[in-house]
Amino acid sequence: MARHPGQEWTLTSGKGAGEDLVVTLSPATAPERIATVRVYAGAEVFLFDFSGHSSADFAYDDEDRPATLQERIDIAVAATLGPTRVTLDFDRDVIVASTLVIDPDGQSPREYSFSWPLRRLKARVRGRRISRQVIDLPAAGGI
């Protein structure tokens, strides 16, 4: 966490045996921009959430886990600092896919996509249309 000064950190779980590790973070200058990094108790699944977008990574070997956690934290920090674009596809109020783009108009945008194919298939089978919401967040002030 020392790699990211200016971020506010809260450890909200992971304090007891068998609990997931859950860290919430946000820039001190934009506390409303909250990201969550979760490491499931088995320490193989690493999840990042921000503004409705989810992104997962996996580490099955002990030696890979610190780097995987650091990568999830780095993505979370970059997303909260912006500029960031989040695109959410919905079946009514259920997210079926999401895309996060960090620095979308920059020279090297970083894109992360995640989808729930079964959720999308259910919507199609039921004859429902998928709606889209785009959230553009400028760079956090003061950074």
Side-chain angles (χ1 to χ4, degrees):
M1 296 180 194
R3 288 178 52 166
H4 301 290
Q7 288 284 321
E8 301 291 329
W9 303 85
T10 306
L11 182 63
T12 59
S13 187
K15 298 174 184 173
E19 284 188 359
D20 296 346
L21 171 67
V22 181
V23 178
T24 57
L25 58 102
S26 65
T29 59
E32 71 283 359
R33 293 188 185 191
I34 299 169
T36 303
V37 175
R38 174 184 297 266
V39 180
Y40 286 94
E44 294 177 348
V45 180
F46 297 74
L47 189 67
F48 150 68
D49 290 301
F50 177 72
S51 290
H53 169 75
S54 292
S55 176
D57 201 354
F58 306 90
Y60 299 106
D61 297 322
D62 287 344
E63 61 269 6
D64 296 335
R65 291 178 179 153
T68 303
L69 176 59
Q70 187 62 58
E71 179 189 20
R72 295 288 100 185
I73 289 171
D74 292 346
I75 294 168
V77 168
T80 62
L81 294 175
T84 306
R85 177 174 296 138
V86 178
T87 304
L88 304 171
D89 291 345
F90 288 94
D91 169 24
R92 297 185 179 174
D93 62 343
V94 175
I95 297 172
V96 298
S98 64
T99 301
L100 172 90
V101 183
I102 298 168
D103 197 16
D105 298 321
Q107 289 184 334
S108 300
R110 293 182 287 161
E111 184 173 311
Y112 305 91
S113 296
F114 198 77
S115 68
W116 293 267
L118 193 54
R119 292 179 184 178
R120 185 179 293 273
L121 181 61
K122 282 181 177 179
R124 297 284 188 218
V125 167
R126 293 176 176 148
R128 296 197 294 249
R129 295 183 63 128
I130 302 298
S131 61
R132 176 165 283 176
Q133 177 186 12
V134 178
I135 303 165
D136 280 310
L137 299 165
I143 297 177

